[in-house]
C-alpha cells in the first residue's frame, strides 16, 4: 500500500479544452487543473507495428491522494511527458488514494 512518503514525484493534472476553429471543426488544448505529489511506477512497455512505422507505448501506475475531480479524458504531465489516463480506482475504498493506470505514447 502507498504511504505519504512515497509521493515523491510532482505531476500536473491537465484537462482538455475544446474550442471551435475557423474551419468549422474543433481544436483541443490542455489547461492545468492541479499540480500534485504522486508515486509513479513504470510497468513496462510494448512496441506495435502500425503500417510502415512502429509505435512504442509505456504503461505507468500513478498513485496520488484521492481526488474526485479526475476523469479518464484528462492527462497527466510528468517530467515533461504526457500520460493518457486509461483507468482509475480507489484501491481500498476509503477515498485516501487514487490509483491511475496511464499510458505514455511515442511523440
Amino acid at each position: 500500500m502507498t504511504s505519504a512518503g512515497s509521493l515523491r514525484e510532482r505531476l500536473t493534472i491537465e484537462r482538455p479544452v475544446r474550442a471551435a476553429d475557423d474551419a468549422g471543426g474543433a481544436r483541443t488544448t490542455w489547461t492545468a487543473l492541479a499540480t500534485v505529489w504522486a508515486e509513479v511506477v513504470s510497468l513496462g512497455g510494448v512496441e506495435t507495428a502500425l503500417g510502415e512505422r512502429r509505435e512504442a507505448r509505456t504503461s505507468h501506475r500513478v498513485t496520488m491522494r484521492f481526488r474526485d475531480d479526475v476523469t479518464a479524458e484528462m492527462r497527466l504531465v510528468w517530467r515533461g511527458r504526457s500520460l493518457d489516463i486509461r483507468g482509475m480506482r480507489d484501491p481500498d475504498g476509503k477515498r485516501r488514494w487514487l490509483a491511475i493506470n496511464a499510458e505514455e505514447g511515442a511523440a
Side-chain angles (χ1 to χ4, degrees):
M1 186 55 80
T2 300
S3 68
S6 64
L7 306 180
R8 296 187 175 134
E9 299 287 337
R10 290 295 273 175
L11 61 84
T12 302
I13 304 166
E14 292 186 337
R15 62 183 177 86
V17 177
R18 291 173 184 82
D21 63 16
D22 295 335
R27 183 175 60 101
T28 301
T29 58
W30 295 90
T31 187
L33 173 69
T35 299
V36 299
W37 290 101
E39 176 185 47
V40 180
V41 177
S42 178
L43 302 175
V46 65
E47 188 174 305
T48 57
L50 295 174
E52 294 289 320
R53 66 183 178 92
R54 302 200 57 80
E55 182 177 283
R57 300 193 69 74
T58 304
S59 295
H60 301 276
R61 183 185 66 237
V62 177
T63 305
M64 66 180 73
R65 293 193 183 276
F66 186 84
R67 299 179 61 102
D68 61 5
D69 58 349
V70 179
T71 66
E73 71 175 0
M74 295 177 181
R75 72 178 183 185
L76 309 173
V77 178
W78 171 62
R79 296 183 179 179
R81 298 148 63 181
S82 295
L83 308 177
D84 297 324
I85 296 175
R86 297 296 182 214
M88 299 174 293
R89 68 185 190 292
D90 175 3
D92 62 6
K94 296 181 180 178
R95 297 174 63 95
R96 293 185 305 170
W97 305 109
L98 181 62
I100 298 173
N101 296 327
E103 193 171 77
E104 173 188 2

